[in-house]
Amino acid sequence: MANEIIQIGCKIEMKAVDRRFVVDSSAETETYVSQLLHWADTNVAVIAVPTYKGHLIPLRVDDVYELQFVTRNGLYRCRGVILKRTKTVGTIATAEVKFISALEKFQRRQYYRMNCVMSMNYAVLSDVQKELYKEKKRCLSLEQKLSIEKKLESQEIEFQKAVVLDLSGGGMRFNSPIQ
């Protein structure tokens, strides 16, 4: 049930998916920001009508939007159709949205994470090695860099065994017996 996952007051990002009266279908659809005000039913939410540059965005009845909810537990998304709009004097404009697809957890990452299990060896740098690497970065001359590399090669490296859990464009995740 969506009303168990999405809390009142959470931020909503809306993007038009299917509109009945579109003037220019090639135009890029804008993303509008709204907020969940309360639940009318288990799958019907009452939201604040989004504003853009100080103007209310006209949400037409029967238009379909992709809704992204920013919650404490992460991002969730689904599709919703506008059921009705209301605006009374002295209050904010609201719209009722019925969820027409299942609520799913969503990540905005644009890179792929490949799950895998394989063994690996890694080394934890000693304080001396850390300082040598920092010094090597600061050096400008080739002679100094070569002398630091010789010092690094003379240092003893102790390898530890670990298990790789997944790989991605940003690195890898692995388990090891050492914290």
Side-chain angles (χ1 to χ4, degrees):
M1 296 288 196
N3 60 350
E4 295 172 1
I5 297 171
I6 302 168
Q7 303 298 316
I8 292 172
C10 77
K11 178 180 160 184
I12 304 169
E13 295 177 3
M14 305 175 65
K15 192 170 191 174
V17 175
D18 181 25
R19 301 177 94 169
R20 292 181 305 138
F21 306 107
V22 178
V23 177
D24 184 9
S25 61
S26 66
E28 183 69 25
T29 57
E30 294 285 332
T31 300
Y32 303 113
V33 177
S34 181
Q35 185 177 21
L36 177 68
L37 299 176
H38 64 86
W39 290 96
D41 197 5
T42 54
N43 277 344
V44 178
V46 177
I47 65 169
V49 171
T51 59
Y52 185 72
K53 294 185 179 178
H55 300 288
L56 290 174
I57 303 301
L59 301 177
R60 291 188 177 93
V61 175
D62 293 333
D63 280 356
V64 177
Y65 286 85
E66 181 163 311
L67 308 169
Q68 288 185 9
F69 300 91
V70 181
T71 68
R72 289 184 212 133
N73 300 326
L75 292 175
Y76 288 87
R77 74 175 174 186
C78 70
R79 289 193 176 198
V81 63
I82 306 297
L83 295 180
K84 71 177 186 180
R85 300 175 303 182
T86 57
K87 184 174 181 182
T88 55
V89 177
T91 62
I92 59 173
T94 62
E96 281 189 12
V97 180
K98 180 178 182 180
F99 298 165
I100 57 174
S101 69
L103 196 64
E104 62 184 26
K105 191 136 173 96
F106 176 67
Q107 289 187 347
R108 291 186 183 174
R109 287 190 188 133
Q110 296 299 316
Y111 59 88
Y112 180 74
R113 183 171 292 281
M114 182 180 80
N115 293 324
C116 63
V117 177
M118 60 186 184
S119 62
M120 68 171 265
N121 292 328
Y122 71 97
V124 178
L125 296 177
S126 68
D127 292 336
V128 173
Q129 291 168 327
K130 289 178 190 176
E131 288 302 317
L132 287 171
Y133 276 111
K134 286 180 186 177
E135 190 179 329
K136 183 179 171 187
K137 281 185 179 181
R138 290 188 299 256
C139 291
L140 298 177
S141 72
L142 184 60
E143 294 172 357
Q144 290 175 328
K145 287 184 180 186
L146 290 174
S147 70
I148 291 173
E149 282 184 21
K150 286 182 182 180
K151 289 178 188 176
L152 283 169
E153 289 174 5
S154 68
Q155 297 287 319
E156 189 171 318
I157 298 175
E158 184 179 331
F159 285 98
Q160 305 290 327
K161 295 202 179 285
V163 177
V164 176
L165 301 175
D166 63 41
L167 298 170
S168 71
M172 74 171 115
R173 183 168 59 113
F174 65 92
N175 280 345
S176 71
I178 298 173
Q179 183 74 15

